[in-house]
Amino acid sequence: MVRPVWAVLRLVSRDGAALLKSNAPGTARAAPQRYRPTYSAVTTCCRALSSETRHLQAAVRMPEITTDHLDEKQVQLLSEMCILIDENDRKIGADTKKNCHLNSNIDKGLLHRAFSVFIFNSEEKLLLQQRSDAKITFPGCFTNTCCSHPLHTDSELEEKDALGVRRAAQRRLEAELGIPLEQVTPDEMTYLTRIHYKAQSDGVWGEHEIDYILFMQKDVDLSPDPNEIKSHCYVSKEELKEMLEKAKRSELEITPWFSLIAQTFLFKWWDNLQNLKQFMDHDKIHRM
């Protein structure tokens, strides 16, 4: 039977002399059996109290997260439910966009599913966007055409052929760039592979994602939402390489996921827009 804390402490107080006496020469063998439950219970209580103290200390140290200074529309989006996954991209639950992007949670291993879309026009130029200054993570940074998250809904949880992710990409291409839904249907997107990366935006916010890479070549109509996008442009390979060099000199900022993809796979894929199937790898998750 496990005694309540108050009962254990009373026993310790009452039998303190006996416990001390039990440690005397010649009595040590008899005492442990009688008092071992008391010792065990006290030890368990102390450990529990110590653990609670550590949690309280951590809570005291953790700064309060306030969104009062952030853009109202972007704060509303923080309530969206992202798909939580393990390191092998298996669904394990759902949590808010806010919780998924807090560095305090990312440090504990919180990981969610995401996507990055790359749209090329008929001239084989890549459509880039510059994230608006209202964005909570990586504001003002240049990045690929569209980057976001599938939501924890029946439609976007569909995993066969990454259909749910491609549906999410269609939704966000319209929301951010104003591209009509019929111009970016899921079946027109090529799902290449996945990358796993983690990056801090500032002291509070960051990213920890398994990112699905989606390619598409098509001329599309654009009507960007200024709350999402500060500017946009089509670039050639040479122009993008110049931008990457400027980023190294801190003359402009590029999102970490786009930088990683550009430094590893992008130009090889770009050279083979008409033959992307050779690069499709749905089994491997590239750790970056």
Side-chain angles (χ1 to χ4, degrees), residues 19-58:
L19 287 169
L20 291 172
K21 184 178 178 182
S22 72
N23 289 324
T27 60
R29 291 184 180 180
Q33 183 175 1
R34 176 180 176 185
Y35 294 107
R36 190 174 295 122
T38 302
Y39 272 128
S40 177
V42 170
T43 301
T44 300
C45 291
C46 289
R47 286 175 178 169
L49 289 170
S50 177
S51 176
E52 290 299 321
T53 300
R54 287 196 300 271
H55 286 305
L56 287 171
Q57 289 173 338

Side-chain angles (χ1 to χ4, degrees), residues 2 4 29-30 41 45 50 58 64 93 105 124 131 141 165-166 173 178 181 194 198 207 217 226 229 236 241 243 246:
V2 178
R29 291 184 180 180
C45 291
S50 177
E64 183 180 353
N105 291 329
E124 297 196 353
R131 293 164 67 85
C141 292
V165 172
R166 289 184 286 129
L173 284 166
L181 293 176
R194 294 167 290 176
K198 180 164 63 173
E207 297 280 6
Q217 184 176 11
I229 295 175
S236 65
K241 289 175 182 177
M243 292 180 69
K246 287 183 178 180

Side-chain angles (χ1 to χ4, degrees), residues 5 55-56 84 96 113 166 180 186 194 232 261 279 283:
V5 174
H55 286 305
L56 287 171
L84 295 184
T96 63
R113 190 172 287 167
R166 289 184 286 129
R194 294 167 290 176
H232 66 282
I261 295 168
F279 302 110
D283 296 322

